[in-house]
Amino acid sequence: MKGLKKLLFFIISSIGVFGGVFLFFWNMAKKIQQPLRRQITSVPSVPYENIEFPSKEGIVRGWFIPSKFEETPPLIILCHGWGSSRDTVYRYVDRLHEEGYSLLLFDVRGHGESSSVKALTVKTFRDDIISAVKFAKSRKDIDTNNIGLLGHSFGGFGSILSLSKGNTAKAIVIDSSPIKFTTIMESFLKQKKLPTYPLVPILTKFIFMRANITTRETKEDLDCIKALENTRTPILMTHSINDNFVPSSELEYIKSRVKINSFYVKSDGHRDSQSDPDFWENVIPFFNAHLSMRSKNFISEEKNG
């Protein structure tokens, strides 16, 4: 009888411990997947339009900035990173707007003023980017055959993955993007001053579990290398060698596996690539070359203006 009681006590204790550990990691994953919303603290200094469009079960909100020229121009969609909002990518706007592009900035669901999501992942970024391109193609005030995309960090990660899920953008620039899920988790844990092992593999599994992402899906739909190998869309990638959050070794990882156009900058931190002159010296010619920017009418307007 005593042996049975000991066995029952052991079983109940084990269940309690297991349940406590499970709940700890579940709540930790939940916290990671619900970043604090960054409030919109500024608006464009040039004319803009508030916009919104559907994406999956939610609504995405953002800004449309028309070109400074009257002709229907190419459009570049700007996508922010994890825990940011559309006004954080406004740093790209002045140079691109001066070049004559129309621009679309939006808050990924779970960010800014867009709808909430239960379990935010890179899939959310991927799906909202696809929805943004679809929305852009419905407008009559842009050249819908010439849409570009510039994604920063997780916005870049989602942009790459969207290539295999119907993204019809004509040219894509990827700025400071993570590529591997392990890198993302390591960066987050280091920022919180937590040990990476064994937390990285455990938390990654819980994050996928909360988002109903299967192992098969991670191999087939969430693989950046596979997406880049199978696309014909022109891609240009950049990363700062001084990035203190997502290391530039992510770009090295890509280059060791896929032939890709790329360059490095020397700006400080994770969100300042555009401050390096080399950034625009590479990005502007790339977009101009692939988005048919210099039509005859456009050149005429630009010279006369």
Side-chain angles (χ1 to χ4, degrees):
M1 191 69 178
K2 289 183 179 180
L4 181 59
K5 286 182 178 181
K6 287 183 178 180
L7 179 60
L8 288 173
F9 177 78
F10 175 77
I11 293 173
I12 293 171
S13 298
S14 297
I15 292 173
V17 170
F18 176 81
V21 171
F22 183 92
L23 189 61
F24 170 79
F25 284 110
W26 182 270
N27 288 333
M28 195 170 182
K30 180 179 179 180
K31 185 176 182 179
I32 292 172
Q33 291 177 287
Q34 293 180 334
L36 292 175
R37 284 185 183 253
R38 185 184 185 282
Q39 298 300 309
I40 307 299
T41 58
S42 61
V43 297
S45 59
V46 294
Y48 70 95
E49 170 192 340
N50 290 313
I51 58 167
E52 63 177 44
F53 52 88
S55 184
K56 295 298 181 179
E57 302 83 13
I59 297 295
V60 171
R61 296 181 174 86
W63 296 318
F64 171 76
I65 299 176
S67 169
K68 58 193 294 186
F69 302 104
E70 293 183 4
E71 179 187 333
T72 51
L75 171 80
I76 295 177
I77 298 170
L78 305 177
C79 185
H80 63 77
W82 189 276
S84 297
S85 54
R86 63 183 183 266
D87 60 339
T88 62
V89 288
Y90 191 73
R91 62 186 185 271
Y92 300 117
V93 167
D94 287 348
R95 185 67 180 84
L96 293 170
H97 189 253
E98 184 64 27
E99 193 68 20
Y101 289 101
S102 288
L103 300 162
L104 192 156
L105 295 70
F106 67 95
D107 297 324
V108 173
R109 282 172 298 147
H111 296 78
E113 297 176 341
S114 293
S115 298
S116 298
V117 290
K118 178 183 176 181
L120 185 66
T121 67
V122 70
K123 279 181 63 177
T124 314
F125 283 76
R126 180 197 71 187
D127 294 342
D128 288 358
I129 287 165
I130 292 170
S131 296
V133 174
K134 183 178 180 181
F135 168 77
K137 283 186 169 291
S138 71
R139 299 189 66 100
K140 297 181 179 179
D141 51 358
I142 66 162
D143 182 352
T144 56
N145 292 317
N146 282 293
I147 295 174
L149 177 62
L150 196 168
H152 173 258
S153 194
F154 246 71
F157 195 179
S159 298
I160 295 172
L161 296 179
S162 70
L163 291 168
S164 57
K165 288 293 181 177
N167 183 353
T168 55
K170 289 283 291 293
I172 300 177
V173 172
I174 307 297
D175 180 9
S176 308
S177 174
I179 299 299
K180 305 186 293 292
F181 288 107
T182 53
T183 301
I184 297 165
M185 291 306 307
E186 286 172 359
S187 298
F188 174 82
L189 292 170
K190 287 177 180 177
Q191 189 181 50
K192 299 297 182 181
K193 298 182 179 179
L194 294 171
T196 56
Y197 186 83
L199 294 184
V200 167
I202 296 174
L203 279 173
T204 301
K205 288 185 180 297
F206 272 83
I207 285 171
F208 288 163
M209 187 189 308
R210 292 192 72 253
N212 296 317
I213 296 175
T214 64
T215 300
R216 180 179 179 181
E217 188 174 6
T218 61
K219 292 180 179 179
E220 295 185 359
D221 296 336
L222 301 179
D223 186 334
C224 284
I225 301 297
K226 183 177 291 187
L228 290 169
E229 285 176 338
N230 295 329
T231 188
R232 294 184 177 179
T233 303
I235 308 288
L236 177 64
M237 301 187 71
T238 186
H239 213 117
S240 174
I241 60 174
N242 299 317
D243 194 326
N244 57 3
F245 186 65
V246 177
S248 59
S249 57
E250 291 295 273
L251 181 50
E252 285 296 324
Y253 175 80
I254 280 287
K255 290 171 62 177
S256 68
R257 288 160 175 78
V258 184
K259 187 177 181 180
I260 196 83
N261 291 322
S262 65
F263 66 99
Y264 292 94
V265 294
K266 297 179 181 179
S267 53
D268 292 332
H270 182 54
R271 299 178 178 87
D272 202 33
S273 295
Q274 82 292 337
S275 68
D276 188 316
D278 285 346
F279 182 86
W280 294 117
E281 288 178 10
N282 284 274
V283 169
I284 293 300
F286 174 78
F287 275 138
N288 287 351
H290 294 291
L291 297 182
S292 303
M293 190 59 175
R294 294 298 185 251
S295 68
K296 293 181 180 179
N297 291 336
F298 190 94
I299 292 174
S300 177
E301 283 191 31
E302 186 175 26
K303 288 181 177 180
N304 294 332

